[in-house]
Amino acid sequence: MLIGVVVRRVGRGSPVTADLSRRGRTPLRALLVLVALTVVLEAADDLGDWTEVVVHVLALAVIATVGWLVAVAVFVAADAWLARYDVDVADNRHARRVRTQISLLRRLVVVLVAVLTLAAMLLTFPGARAAGASILASAGVISIVAGLAAQTSLANVFAGLQLAFTDAIRVDDVVVVEEEWGRIEEITLTYVVVHVWDDRRLVLPSTYFTTTPFENWTRKESAVLGAVELDVDWTTPFDRMREELDRLVAGDENWDERVKVLQVTDAVGSLVRVRVLVSAQDAGTLWDLRCAVREGLVGWLQREAPHALPRVRNEGAPGYEVAGRRGPRPAPDPRTAPRPARPADRGPAAGEGLFTGSLEARRRSQAFAGPSEEDQAERARHDRSAADGGTAEQKTVPPAH
């Protein structure tokens, strides 16, 4: 009680001392009581054989309490160091990196303190001290077996250390993992907790961030760019659309006045693709700004330029009227529709067709399509000349006797 009062009075103006007094009050009192009991029992004479057993138990409790006090001191020192780095600022990249490293170091030191405390407690047993030499002699084989049995866990531990000291991710970084947008909420030696935008928690092993590609939106700075894409008609007045974008971002407090661009990125088919780039101080603010810009531009198109809304053009397409009427044409009646001319009904023009150019080609043409009009006329002339020649010959030849 007296020590607590003194500590509180001395550290009245120091938050570190006050935190140490608050956290270390219980283990310090337990330590003082255990030490007092041990001294009393060791000073007493002829209390029986049970005294040695009780003193040994009290010694184990003293060692455990000392380890508890050391762990409390580590937590107080880590919190005091973390308090020097405020993350509630515009550019908090360095502060988040330091906080991530201190958090992992605190966990490592606490684990080391626990292992050393357990080792010190085991060394109080004579059998454990005798077995220490054989344990050290077989430490190589044991380490190999343990490494093979727990290679996944050890890989996550080393991956956690790598993440902390290579500055790949930090607490409060904005990342996109597994197609989910969120912030790094906690980094441990074996896993990482991502706070997803809809308040879900995505828990991933530390090896995920060392073996799988992911997006880190705040790797270098918190300020980021965002895109808004719209499909509009070819008749869109882009100059007026840029004026509307200027008006929208100028009246929005989420815009950091760095980037504001409207570009036509594609114009193929019946639509025109417009991309708007805007910037904000962080990812959350950028999301709100993109939504506001998208909503504002869509509303402007509906109010001021309804003809620029996206539409599918069908003018001139088969089955549609061209002269202002919409809808499919009625199907023609097969009984009254004119039949297309067959290749045999029309003669081949000069220089066209597959079966022209030589005597053999014309024979193939006759085999496939029948004789042409020229062939039929030539055959008729040949027949008439043959008939006339035959009559004259009959007139000049004398009759046989």
Side-chain angles (χ1 to χ4, degrees):
M1 184 71 69
L2 180 61
I3 295 177
V5 173
V6 172
V7 171
R8 283 193 296 271
R9 286 184 176 273
V10 172
R12 181 174 298 173
S14 174
V16 177
T17 307
D19 190 19
L20 181 61
S21 174
R22 178 179 60 83
R23 295 190 180 195
R25 183 183 300 116
T26 301
L28 180 61
R29 291 177 179 177
L31 178 63
L32 293 178
V33 171
L34 292 173
V35 170
L37 290 175
T38 302
V39 171
V40 170
L41 289 177
E42 288 183 348
D45 296 331
D46 299 332
L47 293 179
D49 296 336
W50 61 269
T51 306
E52 295 183 0
V53 177
V54 173
V55 169
H56 190 198
V57 173
L58 290 175
L60 295 176
V62 168
I63 295 174
T65 307
V66 170
W68 186 4
L69 277 175
V70 174
V72 167
V74 170
F75 274 95
V76 171
D79 290 343
W81 195 265
L82 290 174
R84 299 175 56 184
Y85 297 92
D86 187 12
V87 296
D88 295 330
V89 294
D91 189 6
N92 56 5
R93 183 171 58 90
H94 178 68
R96 289 187 287 108
R97 181 183 64 184
V98 174
R99 292 176 71 90
T100 301
Q101 294 175 353
I102 291 176
S103 299
L104 282 180
L105 283 176
R106 178 177 60 187
R107 290 187 174 90
L108 280 177
V109 173
V110 169
V111 171
L112 182 61
V113 168
V115 172
L116 293 178
T117 302
L118 182 61
M121 294 172 66
L122 291 176
L123 289 177
T124 59
F125 295 94
R129 287 197 300 267
S134 60
I135 292 175
L136 291 176
S138 59
V141 179
I142 294 176
S143 61
I144 293 175
V145 174
L148 292 176
Q151 55 182 345
T152 303
S153 301
L154 292 177
N156 282 319
V157 170
F158 286 111
L161 293 175
Q162 180 180 349
L163 292 177
F165 293 98
T166 57
D167 205 22
I169 56 174
R170 299 169 294 266
V171 174
D172 208 34
D173 266 347
V174 177
V175 295
V176 178
V177 292
E178 298 294 321
E179 299 182 358
E180 297 285 354
W181 182 91
R183 292 181 179 272
I184 301 295
E185 186 176 56
E186 185 180 2
I187 300 177
T188 67
L189 289 177
T190 56
Y191 62 88
V192 177
V193 180
V194 180
H195 185 184
V196 187
W197 64 274
D198 56 357
D199 282 341
R200 290 180 292 125
R201 265 57 175 187
L202 191 62
V203 181
L204 299 170
S206 299
T207 53
Y208 176 89
F209 293 91
T210 58
T211 58
T212 306
F214 64 95
E215 297 182 25
N216 190 338
W217 288 16
T218 54
R219 177 66 175 81
K220 291 297 184 181
E221 58 180 357
S222 299
V224 287
L225 296 178
V228 175
E229 292 188 339
L230 299 174
D231 288 336
V232 296
D233 192 72
W234 286 71
T235 60
T236 303
F238 297 110
D239 293 336
R240 293 171 54 193
M241 196 172 185
R242 289 189 176 90
E243 295 176 358
E244 179 65 16
L245 174 63
D246 295 340
R247 188 190 67 81
L248 288 173
V249 298
D252 198 323
E253 60 182 6
N254 294 326
W255 184 48
D256 62 358
E257 300 182 1
R258 289 191 305 117
V259 177
K260 169 184 58 64
V261 179
L262 188 149
Q263 296 174 322
V264 177
T265 59
D266 198 2
V268 177
S270 60
L271 298 176
V272 175
R273 176 66 56 86
V274 175
R275 185 179 68 175
V276 177
L277 285 179
V278 290
S279 61
Q281 63 181 358
D282 54 48
T285 306
L286 177 65
W287 176 264
D288 295 336
L289 178 61
R290 291 169 59 196
C291 292
V293 169
R294 185 183 296 109
E295 181 180 351
L297 291 179
V298 170
W300 177 82
L301 288 172
Q302 294 174 347
R303 294 190 314 270
E304 304 296 334
H307 60 279
L309 294 174
R311 65 188 66 186
V312 178
R313 299 180 181 274
N314 294 308
E315 290 84 358
Y320 283 81
E321 296 291 344
V322 178
R325 291 187 298 165
R326 295 183 179 179
R329 294 176 178 175
D333 189 352
R335 297 173 297 178
T336 60
R339 296 182 179 180
R342 296 181 299 173
D345 296 337
R346 57 184 178 89
E352 70 174 5
L354 179 62
F355 304 100
T356 58
S358 66
L359 180 59
E360 296 179 357
R362 295 185 64 180
R363 291 176 179 173
R364 286 196 299 270
S365 177
Q366 294 176 3
F368 279 94
S372 63
E373 294 181 358
E374 295 179 357
D375 294 336
Q376 293 176 2
E378 183 178 357
R379 181 177 298 177
R381 288 195 301 269
H382 182 271
D383 293 341
R384 287 196 300 271
S385 62
D388 295 341
T391 304
E393 184 177 358
Q394 291 177 358
K395 291 179 179 180
T396 57
V397 175
H401 295 283

